[in-house]
Amino acid sequence: MALIIAGERSGVGKTTVTLTLLASLRRRDRLVQSFKVGPDYIDPMFHQHVTGRACRNLDPVLTSEAYVQQCFAHHSQLSEYALVEGVMGLFDGIGHRAWDIGHGQEKQKSTDFASTAHIARLLDLPVVLVIDCSRLSGSVAAIAHGYCSFDPRIKIAGVVLNRVGSDRHLSLLKDSLEPLQLPILGVLRRQDNITIPDRHLGLVPTAELPELNALIDRFADLGDACFDWQHLLPLLKSEPLPHPPPCGKLKLHPAYLRSPVRIAIARDRAFNFYYQDNLDLLQQLGAELVFWSPLEDARLPQNVQGMYFGGGFPEVFAQQLAENTSARDAVKTAIMTGMPAIAECGGLMYLCEQIIDFEGKSWSMAGVLPTSAVMGGRLTLGYRRAVALQDNLLMKAGTTVYGHEFHRSSLTSTPSQPLFETSRYDCEENMGCEGWGLPANVHASYVHQHWGESVEIPQQFLKDCLKVKY
């Protein structure tokens, strides 16, 4: 048993409700494991800051339905309570295509694939529905009834009423909901609303919020006062399974164990978009992860054989990155002398010649890729089906991977030999070619990947890293 926090649409306060619950549980010294539906990086940072445990992403597009089930079962067994934060509205997903093997034809399988409802069905978990009540009263019952009856496979355990105004407003809401006999598990007042700063790609990450601990204390205070804990705690309880399925238990090739591989992981305020499962896989395959900061450190860590640059906000810290010339030079020298490097999105931007920020100012970067990253107003967002056009650092030509793009930058030039031909996940709409694989020891792409069902990718990376001698 565990709970999923869902919204009737985006922006209703799912993250606020989730963080108040997590903070209040931790104040009670409860061990709690959190999960996040979808490809999000920033919400899990807040989860981890509160719980002290890495939040796990549940995304059947980037991994698979089986992986979602295994990952949840494995990690929820390691804690006393478990809580899942949903994505968008409860039934907001994407079209999912499946091959009808018997007829050899493609058919539509689902329109809510990868939605919060899909995850609730996969994990057989009850849902708490968060409703924004700021502009309604009696209509709340119609909304709640619609969500309860739309898919009978989804069990709505109760509702949380968010942004409630006066006592009279609350009374109207309760009177409207009473015929449904649907428990009200929490009430958050309009004046209780706690705002987390945001910017062009969502919330400001935890590392940039100096008052974060005070903010979490406010969440805990709110959680203590606003929830019906007598009903919530039994629902949140994570009961041990008699035979929990394994998650991430790999059959390791002996070569990885005989010779540990040291990988430099760029992690600071500029680079912090990593799936914890990816880092875990590298370690399970025999890698020693060495974290460093392209913002603060003058050089790469000693004796490393590979580099991994995740996404993040290099555009926000472009001046500081540019001013750290010794780090930029060290990265370029290492790559040009053959060290393998993975660079996703923000990492790709760092390997460019320049970043041109929102104000049009140019900042020098590592200069590995003969292009510049230019910030703009257009948001590129969505799941991608990517087919490798050539053998590259991570995979063979023809390999298909599934990933996610989320950025407001574009490159001033395209590679002569791109890594991928990409299309939207839910249809055949071609999204063009992208990704840099020259030098051959570089894999730089806007497409974020989760390796949970693609263990061969980190295996190939470490195999190449083993060739680097220090």
Side-chain angles (χ1 to χ4, degrees), residues 45-358:
M45 295 181 195
F46 283 88
H47 290 204
Q48 181 169 348
H49 186 88
V50 174
T51 66
R53 301 173 67 86
C55 175
R56 305 288 168 164
N57 291 76
L58 304 175
D59 192 320
V61 175
L62 300 184
T63 57
S64 69
E65 292 178 319
Y67 186 88
V68 166
Q69 293 171 321
Q70 292 168 357
C71 184
F72 177 81
H74 175 77
H75 292 289
S76 63
Q77 299 309 300
L78 305 177
S79 61
E80 189 178 2
Y81 295 93
L83 186 64
V84 180
E85 179 181 352
V87 62
M88 301 178 66
L90 175 58
F91 298 103
D92 295 330
I94 60 174
H96 179 64
R97 300 167 298 164
W99 288 100
D100 185 336
I101 298 175
H103 298 86
Q105 296 178 339
E106 199 173 14
K107 65 179 183 180
Q108 197 74 11
K109 180 182 179 182
S110 164
T111 58
D112 71 349
F113 192 84
S115 68
T116 305
H118 182 201
I119 301 302
R121 294 193 301 265
L122 279 178
L123 303 180
D124 192 23
L125 296 181
V127 169
V128 171
L129 184 67
V130 181
I131 302 177
D132 179 358
C133 302
S134 59
R135 293 177 177 84
L136 56 83
S137 56
S139 299
V140 69
I143 294 172
H145 175 71
Y147 278 84
C148 289
S149 59
F150 183 76
D151 184 344
R153 296 170 295 177
I154 302 298
K155 177 186 176 183
I156 306 293
V159 295
V160 170
L161 306 180
N162 193 22
R163 299 168 187 153
V164 176
S166 63
D167 289 343
R168 173 60 178 161
H169 185 203
L170 178 59
S171 178
L172 291 171
L173 295 168
K174 287 182 174 180
D175 289 346
S176 179
L177 288 168
E178 185 175 4
L180 300 182
Q181 297 184 321
L182 186 64
I184 297 174
L185 299 175
V187 176
L188 279 67
R189 299 283 185 154
R190 218 171 278 173
Q191 62 268 25
D192 291 332
N193 193 37
I194 301 174
T195 301
I196 303 173
D198 61 3
R199 57 177 175 229
H200 57 280
L201 290 182
L203 298 180
V204 175
T206 55
E208 298 179 51
L209 299 176
E211 304 299 324
L212 180 58
N213 287 333
L215 181 65
I216 297 306
D217 283 340
R218 291 176 60 199
F219 277 126
D221 292 339
L222 188 60
D224 290 347
C226 294
F227 291 114
D228 183 350
W229 287 103
Q230 183 177 353
H231 286 88
L232 276 171
L233 279 178
L235 294 172
L236 288 162
K237 188 75 173 178
S238 181
E239 298 294 341
L241 296 176
H243 303 288
C247 174
K249 301 300 184 182
L250 306 176
K251 295 180 180 179
L252 303 183
H253 192 283
Y256 297 120
L257 300 178
R258 289 199 302 266
S259 180
V261 182
R262 284 171 57 86
I263 305 298
I265 310 290
R267 188 163 70 179
D268 54 21
R269 289 170 297 157
F271 305 101
N272 44 37
F273 289 5
Y274 296 97
Y275 294 123
Q276 184 63 43
D277 288 5
N278 284 3
L279 301 179
D280 289 351
L281 273 172
L282 288 172
Q283 289 181 306
Q284 291 174 20
L285 289 167
E288 177 186 351
L289 307 187
V290 186
F291 296 99
W292 75 292
S293 170
L295 285 172
E296 306 288 348
D297 296 333
R299 59 184 63 85
L300 284 168
Q302 292 184 340
N303 303 329
V304 295
Q305 297 160 275
M307 293 180 288
Y308 184 7
F309 296 89
F313 291 99
E315 67 274 17
V316 175
F317 302 97
Q319 180 175 355
Q320 190 175 345
L321 289 168
E323 291 173 349
N324 192 354
T325 56
S326 59
R328 292 193 287 114
D329 291 345
V331 168
K332 183 174 183 178
T333 298
I335 290 176
M336 292 306 180
T337 55
M339 184 177 293
I342 298 173
E344 292 180 343
C345 199
L348 175 152
M349 295 166 65
Y350 182 64
L351 297 190
C352 291
E353 292 177 341
Q354 295 176 319
I355 289 178
I356 302 172
D357 64 20
F358 286 109

